[in-house]
């Protein structure tokens, strides 16, 4: 299963990610209130290096809310590379570049992205901090939180 994540930075939105992923369903999603109650997603990713350069990231851990945003089960993400889950090395270089920058410069980053979740575009905030030769990422689904508050 492939999750599609689109960067919110205008110059980094690949055209192929502006449409729903093939096979994305419009089925009713689990309640937004339930998703908001689950709390933020949390992921630990380890850098994958070739010749000393970071070329990808591999999941060490993902909690249930993070895995749901990636359209996977937490156990299915463990050991997987970011490019495999998000559509290949050319499908999402901006995300890898952002994570690489956190490791190389040690500065935390926060940015918004669009995730396709159950056939809807949701705005998700990524907060990224360095963790050894990898990153900790906290994901907050703003769209689910706002829909839950509106009810």
């Amino acid at each position: 299963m492939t999750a599609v994540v689109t960067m919110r930075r205008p110059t980094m939105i690949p055209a192929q990610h502006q449409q729903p992923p093939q096979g994305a369903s419009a089925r009713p999603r689990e309640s937004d209130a339930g998703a908001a109650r689950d709390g933020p997603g949390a992921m630990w990713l380890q850098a994958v290096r070739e010749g000393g350069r970071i070329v990808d990231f591999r999941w060490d851990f993902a909690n249930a809310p993070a895995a749901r945003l990636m359209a996977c089960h937490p156990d299915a993400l463990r050991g997987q590379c970011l490019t495999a889950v998000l559509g290949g090395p050319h499908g999402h270089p901006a995300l890898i570049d952002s994570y690489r920058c956190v490791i190389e410069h040690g500065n935390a980053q926060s940015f918004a992205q669009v995730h396709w979740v159950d056939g809807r575009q949701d705005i998700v905030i990524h907060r990224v901090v360095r963790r050894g030769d990898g990153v900790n990422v906290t994901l907050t689904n703003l769209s689910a939180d706002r829909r839950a508050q509106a009810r």
Side-chain angles (χ1 to χ4, degrees):
M1 186 176 305
T2 300
V4 176
V5 179
T6 304
M7 295 297 291
R8 292 288 294 172
R9 298 174 186 161
T11 59
M12 297 183 186
I13 299 177
Q16 71 269 26
H17 293 301
Q18 293 184 21
Q19 299 298 319
Q22 193 170 22
S25 88
R27 73 183 187 281
R29 65 190 302 165
E30 74 179 48
S31 87
D32 289 320
R37 262 195 319 273
D38 285 348
M43 309 184 303
W44 302 341
L45 297 119
Q46 199 63 25
V48 175
R49 295 179 180 267
E50 286 181 7
R53 181 166 168 31
I54 297 172
V55 295
D56 206 342
F57 287 87
R58 182 170 286 116
W59 267 277
D60 282 343
F61 167 80
N63 69 0
R68 198 170 19 263
L69 288 169
M70 298 297 145
C72 292
H73 186 276
D75 293 336
L77 284 175
R78 187 172 298 122
Q80 294 292 317
C81 284
L82 195 66
T83 53
V85 174
L86 298 181
H90 304 293
H92 211 53
L95 185 60
I96 291 172
D97 288 343
S98 294
Y99 291 178
R100 179 186 303 125
C101 186
V102 169
I103 292 173
E104 291 174 352
H105 301 288
N107 298 325
Q109 288 193 19
S110 182
F111 49 87
Q113 294 184 310
V114 174
H115 286 242
W116 283 94
V117 181
D118 293 330
R120 288 188 188 171
Q121 287 185 338
D122 280 1
I123 297 172
V124 177
I125 301 297
H126 287 231
R127 291 178 185 88
V128 187
V129 297
R130 185 176 177 171
R131 178 178 183 258
D133 195 35
V135 292
N136 283 353
V137 183
T138 303
L139 306 168
T140 304
N141 187 334
L142 293 181
S143 299
D145 289 350
R146 288 178 184 158
R147 284 190 297 270
Q149 290 172 358
R151 291 181 184 180

